[in-house]
């Protein structure tokens, strides 16, 4: 059974966050809130956690995860940024955007696109996710919590607990997150290309 953490959406309890982070460091897969929708997360170097998320999502080993970062400094260790990309992404973060960029050697080869060596990164604005990331001290390997065959994502922590109780280690309930995924911006060709319009305003790119 998944542990259930009912945390304040804007001022999460430090003890609960510490317990979630301890579970992540021990190999947990958790559901947690972001500023677009709920996500599944595990540590970046946790192979088993990544496999479990793929199984939950019903995707194959070609599925591209997102590396969710605490801040821009952490993001900058994972991807190569041109001056233009730096300025544009810095102005848009934190927020509901995912950016596809060339991966640095800090990103394990198995997590980057096999041919392009690119990876998706984001900095979420959600206070609960931010608290987890700050205490963890490293990015979370993440995927949106949209189940196979579902038309809409689950928006409440209790619903996730009820549906996935035996397949997750923890559910962090930070209130309703909504149903809109991030806006995805591809910077790999040197100019921004909006490849998915979501919660973030695409006009700034």
């Amino acid at each position: 059974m998944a542990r259930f953490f009912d945390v304040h959406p804007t001022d999460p309890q430090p003890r609960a966050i510490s317990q979630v982070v301890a579970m992540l460091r021990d190999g947990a897969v958790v559901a947690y809130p972001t500023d677009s929708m709920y996500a599944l997360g595990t540590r970046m170097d946790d192979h088993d956690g990544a496999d479990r998320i793929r199984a939950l999502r019903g995707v194959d080993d070609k599925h591209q995860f997102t590396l969710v970062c605490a801040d821009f400094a952490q993001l900058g260790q994972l991807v190569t940024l041109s001056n233009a990309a730096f300025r544009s992404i810095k102005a848009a973060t934190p927020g509901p955007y995912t950016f596809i960029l060339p991966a640095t050697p800090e990103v394990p080869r198995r997590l980057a696109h096999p041919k392009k060596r690119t990876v998706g990164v984001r900095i979420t604005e959600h206070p609960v996710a931010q608290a987890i990331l700050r205490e963890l001290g490293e990015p979370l390997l993440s995927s949106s919590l949209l189940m196979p065959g579902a038309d809409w994502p689950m928006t409440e922590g209790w619903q996730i607990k009820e549906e996935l109780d035996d397949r997750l280690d923890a559910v962090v309930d930070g209130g309703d997150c909504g149903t809109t995924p991030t806006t995805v911006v591809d910077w790999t060709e040197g100019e921004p290309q909006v490849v998915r319009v979501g919660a973030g305003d695409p006009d700034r790119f």
Side-chain angles (χ1 to χ4, degrees):
M1 289 178 59
R3 288 192 63 184
F4 187 77
F5 295 91
D6 186 4
V7 299
H8 194 280
T10 59
D11 188 21
Q13 301 89 321
R15 184 169 180 272
I17 297 300
S18 294
Q19 290 174 329
V20 172
V21 169
M23 292 182 72
L24 283 164
R25 288 178 177 149
D26 200 34
V29 172
V30 307
Y32 71 99
T34 77
D35 51 1
S36 56
M37 52 194 283
Y38 273 90
L40 299 166
T42 192
R43 288 186 65 215
M44 191 168 71
D45 61 357
D46 195 322
H47 293 242
D48 180 62
D51 288 342
R52 289 174 60 195
I53 290 175
R54 288 190 190 98
L56 273 163
R57 288 288 318 276
V59 297
D60 61 21
D61 59 5
K62 295 181 178 63
H63 176 70
Q64 294 294 293
F65 288 96
T66 298
L67 299 179
V68 182
C69 304
D71 51 37
F72 203 83
Q74 200 174 73
L75 181 147
Q77 295 175 355
L78 302 173
V79 292
T80 301
L81 294 156
S82 66
N83 288 336
F86 176 92
R87 289 191 298 269
S88 182
I89 295 171
K90 189 83 160 62
T93 56
Y97 297 93
T98 298
F99 302 100
I100 302 171
L101 290 152
T104 69
E106 295 287 320
V107 178
R109 184 171 293 275
R110 64 188 172 81
L111 299 181
H113 189 285
K115 294 180 180 177
K116 299 179 181 178
R117 276 294 295 164
T118 57
V119 70
V121 290
R122 69 171 296 203
I123 303 171
T124 176
E125 196 170 15
H126 198 289
V128 175
Q130 275 287 332
I132 292 169
L133 289 159
R134 283 195 301 270
E135 180 142 346
L136 184 63
E138 61 184 82
L140 270 177
L141 183 71
S142 289
S143 184
S144 298
L145 208 172
L146 182 62
M147 299 305 292
D151 293 327
W152 298 97
M154 290 178 275
T155 61
E156 300 280 1
W158 63 264
Q159 183 186 16
I160 298 167
K161 162 78 169 167
E162 193 172 88
E163 294 284 334
L164 302 175
D165 199 19
D166 59 343
R167 303 177 68 187
L168 292 174
D169 300 301
V171 175
V172 186
D173 186 348
D176 188 340
C177 285
T179 60
T180 309
T182 57
T183 291
V184 179
V185 184
D186 189 336
W187 274 93
T188 56
E189 300 300 322
E191 295 289 333
Q193 293 185 343
V194 177
V195 296
R196 182 179 74 192
V197 176
D201 180 7
D203 291 343
R204 66 191 311 159
F205 299 102

